[in-house]
Amino acid sequence: MSIRSINPATAEAFAEYPLDDAASLERKLTRAARGFENWRWTSFAERSRLMNRVAELLRERSEEYAELMTDEMGKPIAQARSEVEKCAWTCAYFAEHASRFLQTEEMQSDGSRALIRFDPLGTIFAVMPWNFPFWQVIRFAAPHLMAGNVGLLSHSANAGGCATALHRLFKDAGFPTGVFQSLFIENETAEQVIADPRVKGVSLTGSVKAGRAVAALAGAHLKPCVLELGGSDPFIVLADCDLDAAIEQAVVGRMINNGQSCIAAKRFIVEDSVYDDFVTGFHQALAAQKMGDPNDEDTDLGPMARDDLRQALHDQVQKSIAQGARCVLGGELPETDGFYYPATLLVDCDATMECFAEETFGPVAAVARVADTSAAIELANNTPYGLGASIWTESSTHGLKLAEQIEAGHVSINGIVKSDPRLPFGGIKDSGYGRELSRFGILEFVNKKTVWVK
């Protein structure tokens, strides 16, 4: 059996990757366990040297990797290059700071000396999605390999080329055998991997459904896990904001990665006094987005990654319209090759409509009118998700007060939500738990060991 890569711009298959059979999977699990026994004792200096080499190779191979991402999931080529650069930055960041993040801490207890050590756990199994096929993996691998763990990657079925390239990347950088490997497996086999006693933790970025399944299985085997799941981020536009700046960033926040981002702005909540002006400006800016070949440097909006995803999004749009939303832009399946969906604007939305009640994973923006700030916060929190939120207001003091009321793992004031290796990233509610990146992220898969000395 095998998995195929299909170019979403043409709907044509262009590569095939065989699945791991039982013997191949066992070899990789054994290599990981053996690799950890050596890697855990490797100095931070040596780990940093190798991780910095990964950063160098990412930059050297930027065009190769960008083209691969674009071919496999349709990301506009300029955004693909930016993703590679962000990966390189993150590798260099953890190469520089991991030893400080994990330095043994001295404490006092009953007049005696106490040490807090941060020891690696072992093999960590990463289940990663297709939408940021390099970034999602690197933001897992960079901190946790620097902590002394080893990684097993199960990538999405439509990102086989990226999975292969990432495996080769760490090998070419000089990482020892077993420290980072890619698995080509199906969901049923992934369950076996989580249950395997050689696997000590699980990191998943994916759907809420997948998160619940992984959490249940990890819990049954008493293994820690980090879950970064869906999001339906509110973008709150208050009457006192810089409206031009808000509109400009609303387009970026919704359309980035062809609208296929967990932290994309999805629910636009606008105060009544600026609602009409916002909708007018937003409409004009979205209409100017150029949809086309993602390898074209001028393309703003490429195809969606798969046809089933496009159809699911279109169904959400049609249901929302039936529920009373007005579609003022897009909303129709184009008669072209590939899995394209146009920039779509739904207005006069409310919390009962599909476009507000569920996550829309594609280039669809839904706008709701609210009377005042308190109504905006109430609507923003009226969701099972809690990943990110964006607040636009002239007063940063006011914005900080409102941020306290937002139920999310990240709140941006006068900016869009984005991940940063220096800051913790993750959500609450159905958006998952645990944190990635920063010192908070690197501590997710270590044993915080107390050593007491009389």
Side-chain angles (χ1 to χ4, degrees), residues 236-247:
I236 302 170
V237 181
L238 301 183
D240 66 345
C241 78
D242 180 336
L243 198 59
D244 290 338
I247 291 169

Side-chain angles (χ1 to χ4, degrees), residues 150-227:
V150 302
L152 286 175
L153 167 67
S154 176
H155 220 321
S156 290
N158 58 330
C162 291
T164 301
L166 285 157
H167 178 94
R168 179 168 58 88
L169 170 66
F170 283 93
K171 181 179 179 180
D172 291 351
F175 276 76
T177 300
V179 174
F180 183 89
Q181 302 175 85
S182 288
L183 308 180
F184 292 88
I185 57 177
E186 297 180 311
N187 291 341
E188 295 78 8
T189 309
E191 295 176 6
Q192 298 173 30
V193 175
I194 294 173
D196 193 287
R198 290 165 292 188
V199 171
K200 305 302 181 182
V202 187
S203 180
L204 166 77
T205 297
S207 68
V208 174
K209 180 180 178 181
R212 292 186 192 280
V214 166
L217 192 57
H221 294 277
L222 296 178
K223 296 180 182 182
C225 60
V226 170
L227 305 176

Side-chain angles (χ1 to χ4, degrees), residues 339-353:
F339 310 140
Y340 290 92
Y341 200 80
T344 296
L345 180 60
L346 303 175
V347 301
D348 299 342
C349 302
D350 62 44
T352 68
M353 297 174 183

